[in-house]
Amino acid sequence: MKNAILAVVETTETGLHPVSLEVIAFAEILAGFTGYPVTACVIGDAVDGILDQLETRTGGDILGISIPGLTGYDSESYIAALFDLLAAQDFSYICIPHSARGADFAPVLAAKLGATCVSGVEKSENGEGGITFTRRVLNGKRVARVIAEKMPAVVTVQPGIFKWENRTPSTGKRRIKKFSYVSEKIEPLGLKPARSDAGSLQTADIVVAAGNGIGNAENLDMIKQLADRFPRSAVAGSRPVCDRQWLPYGCQVGVTGAVVRPRLYIACGISGASQHIAGLRESGCIVAINRDPHAAFFNFADLCIVEDLTTFIPLLLERMNDSG
């Protein structure tokens, strides 16, 4: 397939992951710039069910790479299967979700292909110099615009940005490619459920989130006190907070955690890295409290409070107590 675009979709235990449709939406933007056709690709053991979902919702060309025995994610198998496919067919752009899974295998695939790798893309534009990809760098504080001068290009797409609208089913081609591969270094041991789930985060109207800037685990008490002032609230955390075991991983918001859509999201001491922002973009109102006036979170927040949270939150709690 000469000059085409491949959109690699992601699956869950229950079916197609929502970020997959966002990746296809991004691929279609590139198709509008280049005129290249888009093929959505799913990798797994039994791929027919996911292909049915793609066929119904996208109406475009779809490809299933069936690997017997692959019931979950295995980076070795993904890379081997995609390398085999891309060696036989000429795709100019390979679009992959910027999820924990995509961030794991995309750079290795690009290196193996000798391709350009552009990660965490939030925007694409077509100009005189070619297609420009926008991504955040320096922990989200700066914006970089990148042109892939060497093709093919492996592009990981930041979740929560590119919106998808269901298409009318069309006459797109449906193919299944059999691929046999046994990982040499990875042995699946199954999934271990988290000690707590993100159910309360998914249904909360107000989420109060703690980041690295809270300083220590003892300061979580005031975060919980603030959350308790609101009905239907929940406490969340960034990845560093959960990695330190100050909060369970079920409370983590971001690419490797939960995606939340509360009416109010209060970020306390969170820098605003793109991985965390991806989990809360669709919140109704975002408030950021950070003593760093250049914190990346201030680029996204509706209300920015430049103050040490250990000073601001106790004053806020006192005022809320006074007002009843």
Side-chain angles (χ1 to χ4, degrees):
M1 184 178 293
K2 189 72 173 177
N3 291 333
I5 301 169
L6 186 71
V8 182
V9 306
E10 190 164 311
T11 60
T12 67
E13 292 181 351
T14 57
L16 190 65
H17 195 293
V19 71
S20 299
L21 297 175
E22 299 173 17
V23 171
I24 297 173
F26 172 79
E28 290 186 349
I29 292 174
L30 297 183
F33 294 155
T34 61
Y36 300 163
V38 175
T39 296
C41 173
V42 59
I43 303 171
D45 182 3
V47 297
D48 290 284
I50 300 298
L51 291 177
D52 289 342
Q53 293 183 43
L54 288 170
E55 196 168 46
T56 300
R57 304 188 69 176
T58 68
D61 290 349
I62 53 177
L63 168 66
I65 300 180
S66 177
I67 306 178
L70 181 65
T71 56
Y73 168 66
D74 174 345
S75 60
E76 281 190 70
S77 298
Y78 268 57
I79 293 166
L82 287 170
F83 183 80
D84 181 74
L85 171 69
L86 297 168
Q89 302 179 32
D90 190 6
F91 287 95
S92 298
Y93 295 96
I94 302 97
C95 305
I96 298 169
H98 191 71
S99 59
R101 183 181 300 183
D104 179 45
F105 78 84
V108 182
L109 176 64
K112 192 174 178 68
L113 291 169
T116 299
C117 185
V118 185
S119 60
V121 171
E122 298 183 352
K123 185 179 180 181
S124 63
E125 299 172 290
N126 193 22
E128 294 183 0
I131 297 176
T132 301
F133 301 105
T134 300
R135 60 187 297 268
R136 293 195 171 269
V137 296
L138 299 177
N139 207 26
K141 291 186 177 182
R142 295 289 185 269
V143 172
R145 293 178 175 85
V146 180
I147 293 177
E149 295 184 347
K150 183 179 181 181
M151 304 303 286
V154 175
V155 182
T156 65
V157 181
Q158 197 67 257
I161 296 178
F162 299 94
K163 303 302 180 183
W164 172 260
E165 294 181 3
N166 287 339
R167 309 291 194 268
T168 301
S170 67
T171 56
K173 296 179 181 178
R174 173 172 175 156
R175 295 181 295 146
I176 293 182
K177 175 182 173 63
K178 300 290 185 179
F179 185 76
S180 179
Y181 184 79
V182 178
S183 295
E184 298 177 355
K185 300 179 181 179
I186 297 176
E187 179 186 357
L189 300 178
L191 297 175
K192 182 179 180 180
R195 285 175 292 181
S196 63
D197 59 45
S200 61
L201 289 179
Q202 304 289 0
T203 59
D205 285 338
I206 288 83
V207 172
V208 183
N212 200 37
I214 68 170
N216 55 65
E218 287 71 27
N219 285 333
L220 274 173
D221 183 60
M222 63 182 173
I223 302 296
K224 295 175 181 177
Q225 289 184 49
L226 180 57
D228 287 342
R229 294 297 192 276
F230 301 98
R232 291 177 58 82
S233 65
V235 172
S238 63
R239 180 163 184 171
V241 169
C242 296
D243 282 345
R244 292 189 178 96
Q245 299 183 356
W246 296 351
L247 285 173
Y249 279 107
C251 294
Q252 182 182 331
V253 170
V255 168
T256 55
V259 175
V260 297
R261 300 173 179 84
R263 292 191 294 115
L264 174 63
Y265 190 94
I266 305 175
C268 306
I270 301 177
S271 62
S274 58
Q275 290 85 350
H276 185 77
I277 295 295
L280 58 100
R281 285 185 182 276
E282 297 183 25
S283 301
C285 179
I286 301 173
V287 177
I289 307 168
N290 202 303
R291 63 184 178 184
D292 178 6
H294 303 294
F297 218 125
F298 290 159
N299 295 320
F300 302 94
D302 300 293
L303 178 61
C304 307
I305 301 169
V306 183
E307 182 57 88
D308 190 318
L309 61 90
T310 60
T311 299
F312 179 78
I313 292 180
L315 290 174
L316 176 60
L317 293 171
E318 183 180 339
R319 179 61 62 89
M320 294 174 79
N321 288 335
D322 293 342
S323 62

